[in-house]
Amino acid sequence: MKKRGDFIDILKRQGFEVTEKKLGGGFVNDVKLITANKGDQVFEYVLKRYGSERDVQDMLRGYDAISSVVKTPTIVYHHGEEVAYDLVKGKSIKDMILGHDPKAPEAIRLLGKELEKLHKSRNAPPRYKRGDSPDERKMIKHVVKALQDVKSSFQRAI
């Protein structure tokens, strides 16, 4: 188990009551939802703890490349092996599809538009090859699994 890092300690030193909820993790990073409360102030963050500082630097280079092309969550902290982002609230597309949300087709269309912007962008690092990023490899694995789950769900519904 990885030790708790500096981000949470900083929040606590500023007087926030902090709660942590594990969201995911594995080969690339551990991901937690961090809720910081002080009086009527409530802040929510996604905290990723990577396996190495090099992984963080690789992620930051990729983040810089895409953040000028598409909307990205604001990085509020990074140091050592930790990166914290503002939480972006909303439903996942998978949950929208499985829940038969009438807004799912529009969400999928918007995701496609954002992906189109990324693919057309010339901002990728010069030596970048698709699939090089540990985050990207993990994301691809999760997308494939989500698509398989959705396909299975539709097949059962038919």
Side-chain angles (χ1 to χ4, degrees):
M1 182 166 162
K2 296 181 180 183
K3 72 177 183 78
R4 183 173 59 211
D6 297 330
F7 181 67
I8 292 170
D9 291 336
I10 289 169
L11 291 170
K12 286 182 174 183
R13 283 194 306 268
Q14 292 177 355
F16 286 93
E17 181 182 314
V18 178
T19 58
E20 306 173 45
K21 178 183 176 188
K22 186 171 175 79
L23 297 177
F27 177 71
V28 177
N29 56 44
D30 289 323
V31 183
K32 293 181 179 178
L33 171 65
I34 304 298
T35 305
N37 295 292
K38 181 167 57 171
D40 61 348
Q41 296 178 313
V42 178
F43 299 96
E44 292 181 299
Y45 305 100
V46 173
L47 177 64
K48 290 187 176 185
R49 184 163 178 84
Y50 288 80
S52 71
E53 288 183 34
R54 182 172 184 232
D55 287 345
V56 171
Q57 293 307 312
D58 289 345
M59 185 282 305
L60 291 172
R61 277 193 296 283
Y63 189 89
D64 286 344
I66 68 167
S67 63
S68 63
V69 180
V70 296
K71 291 180 183 178
T72 53
T74 302
I75 294 177
V76 297
Y77 173 86
H78 70 86
H79 183 265
E81 297 173 352
E82 290 186 336
V83 179
Y85 308 84
D86 281 329
L87 176 68
V88 177
K89 293 188 178 188
K91 285 184 183 177
S92 72
I93 288 180
K94 176 184 172 185
D95 289 343
M96 293 175 81
I97 292 169
L98 294 175
H100 305 287
D101 188 319
K103 295 179 181 175
E106 178 62 12
I108 294 167
R109 187 188 72 72
L110 290 172
L111 175 61
K113 286 292 208 186
E114 294 300 298
L115 287 172
E116 178 183 34
K117 288 179 195 175
L118 281 175
H119 287 275
K120 288 183 175 180
S121 170
R122 303 254 185 251
N123 288 352
R127 293 177 302 194
Y128 177 78
K129 293 181 193 143
R130 191 171 290 157
D132 277 354
S133 158
D135 276 341
E136 185 178 22
R137 287 192 300 270
K138 186 174 182 181
M139 179 182 66
I140 289 168
K141 178 181 141 191
H142 287 292
V143 167
V144 168
K145 170 120 177 57
L147 289 172
Q148 290 169 341
D149 291 349
V150 168
K151 180 180 176 185
S152 295
S153 175
F154 281 126
Q155 288 174 339
R156 284 192 301 270
I158 294 177

